[in-house]
Amino acid sequence: MLALTGLPLQIVTSLLALAAFVATLWLWPKLAGSGVKPVLGRLGTFFGTQVLVLVAMALVANSYFGFYTSWTDLLGTAGGPGTVVDHQPSNSLKVTGQQSFYSSQGSAEDRSGVIQQVSVTGAASGLTNDGYVYLPPQYFQPAYADKKFPMALVLAGYPGSAEKLISLMQYPASTLKAINAKQLPPTVLVMMRPSPIANRDTECMDVPHGPQVETYFTQDLPKAVATGYRIAPQASAHAVMGDSTGGYCALKFALREPDAYGAAIALSADYSVSNDPTTGDLFGGSEQLKRENDLLWRLRNTAPAPVSLLLATSPNESNYQATQEMVNSFKAPTKLSTITLDSGGHNFHTWGREIPPALQWLGRQFSVPGLAAAPAQQGA
């Protein structure tokens, strides 16, 4: 079977749609008339062509945005029932694949680094999430053999995929470029979806009587990653960033759990969440829990956290006014910076313009003994 997100399937469906369109033009004069058969024929060719065109467009859009990554993901099927195996809770990280990272800087791991596919299970939350880890070239160089590295957790939007963080948003390439320009210390990236729960937008919450997603990302993930990689343990060496839903999660983790992440970057993020068909009941009827997950409310009503935040927006974005309110509401020791593009929408092109300056900003926030710091620059 052709892969759901593969180019061959997109080509086949596009050719079928084109063939149906040509066939409709050729058959239309032959289907003239007012009888039942001509009318049914016209309806059949018309709707058949429309369906094929819509399927072709849907496949292209799905491949671009990463809504569904496989047929089983789309259909909600995963084969037959599995076997129950009881385990003691533990944080674990399994490397399930590895690929060379090729860039304009070269192809060897000591020049460009590698990307590993991982599966991370958390002890406290009981959740498992798949993702990718980018290890920069310095990770393999003898001069850094005894060094521990800063970590940046990178979250996609919902329902995005971790693969798009690599192929479309170019996070490893941008990170390598910033490292080589001495704007960012050698940094390990952990790239994931914001929800370990299939087909549910949890908004990174510990849902009452439901999945404990915030616990997974703020407690389980840092511990599990540290078991598999040389990661500096202090919060000042940990950051989280993302776009859209991933950006909201990033800010929430830093503000609610500053001992886990000392810096957060949000690209086109909303600052509050509400229940909708994709989320289900997030708050269990608790207005207090809803307020506590409203970031603007937190800045105004809770003790300020000693973290650094970067918000990216533009006058065309729906979060533009809310971003101004965030800027007017934060208090020391929280530090807040912004990127405001002259124009830009809620899309990958906009985020691609924001990632390089965001990484440069991040280089000024990290504090890792033994690793070269990025040069200081004026302005936020």
Side-chain angles (χ1 to χ4, degrees):
M1 180 181 291
L2 295 175
L4 179 62
T5 58
L7 184 61
L9 182 60
Q10 297 174 48
I11 293 175
V12 169
T13 54
S14 297
L15 290 175
L16 288 174
L18 179 62
F21 179 75
V22 173
T24 298
L25 293 178
W26 181 70
L27 289 172
W28 201 261
K30 302 178 183 295
L31 297 174
S34 58
V36 174
K37 288 185 178 179
V39 171
L40 292 177
R42 291 197 296 273
L43 289 173
T45 56
F46 177 78
F47 285 109
T49 301
Q50 296 298 309
V51 168
L52 286 171
V53 169
L54 290 173
V55 168
M57 293 174 62
L59 286 170
V60 171
N62 179 67
S63 178
Y64 183 80
F65 289 103
F67 296 131
Y68 299 98
T69 58
S70 67
W71 291 106
T72 55
D73 190 17
L74 174 65
L75 299 175
T77 60
T83 301
V84 175
V85 178
D86 295 326
H87 300 277
Q88 294 298 319
S90 63
N91 295 306
S92 67
L93 182 147
K94 296 180 181 178
V95 177
T96 57
Q98 178 169 304
Q99 64 190 67
S100 298
F101 171 53
Y102 298 94
S103 76
S104 59
Q105 307 299 325
S107 59
E109 73 176 21
D110 62 347
R111 295 182 62 192
S112 299
V114 300
I115 296 172
Q116 294 184 338
Q117 189 168 4
V118 298
S119 178
V120 181
T121 299
S125 66
L127 299 175
T128 299
N129 201 10
D130 297 330
Y132 296 87
V133 172
Y134 168 62
L135 301 172
Q138 290 80 3
Y139 194 88
F140 305 97
Q141 296 172 1
Y144 292 84
D146 61 344
K147 305 297 184 185
K148 292 191 175 183
F149 292 76
M151 177 193 76
L153 170 62
V154 184
L155 297 175
Y158 182 87
S161 67
E163 292 91 338
K164 296 303 180 184
L165 297 172
I166 301 170
S167 61
L168 190 59
M169 298 186 70
Q170 298 285 307
Y171 268 103
S174 296
T175 297
L176 179 61
K177 185 175 180 180
I179 292 171
N180 289 338
K182 307 298 183 184
Q183 298 170 342
L184 182 72
T187 300
V188 173
L189 300 184
V190 180
M191 296 166 281
M192 287 187 161
R193 298 178 301 170
S195 179
I197 310 302
N199 300 321
R200 183 177 183 184
D201 179 9
T202 61
E203 295 289 332
C204 296
M205 277 194 57
D206 281 352
V207 180
H209 310 295
Q212 305 296 286
V213 180
E214 182 176 347
T215 295
Y216 174 83
F217 281 115
T218 59
Q219 297 183 31
D220 293 338
L221 181 74
K223 293 177 182 177
V225 172
T227 65
Y229 301 101
R230 302 195 309 275
I231 302 297
Q234 64 271 29
S236 61
H238 297 172
V240 55
M241 61 191 300
D243 60 84
S244 192
T245 299
Y248 164 78
C249 294
L251 295 175
K252 178 164 67 175
F253 294 162
L255 288 171
R256 287 172 58 88
E257 300 291 343
D259 290 339
Y261 298 99
I265 298 170
L267 313 179
S268 301
D270 289 326
Y271 306 118
S272 64
V273 295
S274 300
N275 293 332
D276 63 41
T278 68
T279 66
D281 182 8
L282 294 175
F283 310 114
S286 170
E287 285 298 319
Q288 179 62 24
L289 185 59
K290 184 176 181 179
R291 284 192 297 270
E292 290 175 356
N293 284 271
D294 183 316
L295 305 184
L296 183 57
W297 183 89
R298 292 196 68 84
L299 288 183
R300 291 172 172 171
N301 296 280
T302 63
V307 295
S308 298
L309 311 177
L310 176 63
L311 316 180
T313 187
S314 82
N316 307 110
E317 292 256 34
S318 61
N319 75 338
Y320 179 76
Q321 185 57 47
T323 300
Q324 313 314 309
E325 295 181 34
M326 292 281 285
V327 170
N328 294 329
S329 300
F330 84 98
K331 300 179 287 291
T334 301
K335 299 178 181 178
L336 193 147
S337 305
T338 58
I339 297 173
T340 305
L341 300 180
D342 53 355
S343 65
H346 198 85
N347 56 59
F348 292 120
H349 176 69
T350 296
W351 303 327
R353 296 164 61 196
E354 295 164 342
I355 289 171
L359 291 174
Q360 187 173 349
W361 174 89
L362 181 59
R364 302 196 295 273
Q365 314 311 313
F366 276 146
S367 176
V368 188
L371 288 182
Q377 297 198 8
Q378 298 297 320

